[in-house]
Amino acid sequence: MTDAALDPDALDHWDARYCERDGLAAGGHPELDRAGNELFYALRLGTLLALIGDLHSPAAPLFVLDAGCGTGYFARALDRCGHRVDAVDASQEAIDRARAAGDGPRYTRARLDEWRSPWPYDVVLCVDVLFHLPDDTEWAAALRNLASLVRLTGRLIVTDADTPVPRARDGRIRHRPADAYRAALEPLGLRHTAFRPYGFRETETGFHVFTRIR
């Protein structure tokens, strides 16, 4: 999944990654083979669908934003489940590949800190993206903007490692604890209501669910 507020070098990195690898490996676990990434995506999708729930009807679909959508795996899956999906990514290569795959999501190239919508979303989803923003200012700006897009009683679902303290890795990754997300989001009216680990091999990452209460 591609970052939001990226400098040109970081954007070049992600565009090249999408050019050099297939969609699953580019946005998934770079150390896994195709079969491993198929399983990794399927497990995350199953947990995500359980968190979102069956809260729509054809007459009143859920409005969902997939923020940092990569080549659109989760966006397409949610669209097939009957939801109305907007999907944004900062990488033009990722967006081009997502559009080429077809189906119903509306894809737009945009940074997470700049995307605006004419309507609030029932669910704003950001999978394996925010920990690719090592700069705390960029991370906070992206998180604040995503929070602003969630309607009352709606949910912001983000992923990060379940770590007690911030942890940097490879110069491009910075994992942050749940307390950092709470400190950023609770003043904006969102309460931390769940954490669901991926439960995949050695991965410490999982889904943090925040619900807008005001």
Side-chain angles (χ1 to χ4, degrees), residues 1-23:
M1 309 305 146
T2 305
D3 301 24
L6 291 174
D7 60 40
D9 288 342
L11 279 175
D12 288 345
H13 163 78
W14 283 101
D15 283 341
R17 181 161 162 167
Y18 283 111
C19 287
E20 294 166 0
R21 305 178 185 183
D22 69 48

Side-chain angles (χ1 to χ4, degrees), residues 3-5 65-68 86 88-89 108-121 123-126 130 133 136-151 155-158 181 184-185 187-190 212:
D3 301 24
L65 173 66
D66 184 358
D86 287 336
V88 302
D89 201 284
T108 306
R109 185 187 183 191
R111 299 177 358 173
L112 301 193
D113 63 343
E114 70 180 11
W115 174 248
R116 299 292 183 268
S117 171
W119 49 73
Y121 294 100
V123 178
V124 173
L125 169 69
C126 192
L130 290 168
L133 293 176
D136 286 334
T137 300
E138 294 178 350
W139 170 82
L143 196 57
R144 283 195 303 270
N145 190 51
L146 295 181
S148 75
L149 300 169
V150 180
R151 71 164 177 83
R155 281 160 290 177
L156 172 61
I157 302 176
V158 301
Y181 285 88
L185 293 171
L188 303 178
L190 288 96
R212 179 168 291 287

Side-chain angles (χ1 to χ4, degrees), residues 33-113:
D33 60 14
R34 176 77 187 193
N37 267 306
E38 289 281 6
L39 178 58
F40 185 38
Y41 272 86
L43 285 171
R44 287 183 294 169
L45 177 59
T47 301
L48 177 61
L49 292 175
L51 289 171
I52 293 176
D54 184 18
L55 300 176
H56 81 288
S57 72
L62 291 181
F63 284 83
V64 178
L65 173 66
D66 184 358
C69 65
T71 56
Y73 178 94
F74 294 111
R76 289 190 295 276
L78 293 172
D79 177 80
R80 290 194 299 269
C81 291
H83 304 304
R84 297 283 300 278
V85 183
D86 287 336
V88 302
D89 201 284
S91 166
Q92 186 63 56
E93 181 67 26
I95 290 297
D96 289 345
R97 293 187 175 212
R99 288 172 176 161
D103 295 328
R106 297 172 293 273
Y107 296 105
T108 306
R109 185 187 183 191
R111 299 177 358 173
L112 301 193
D113 63 343

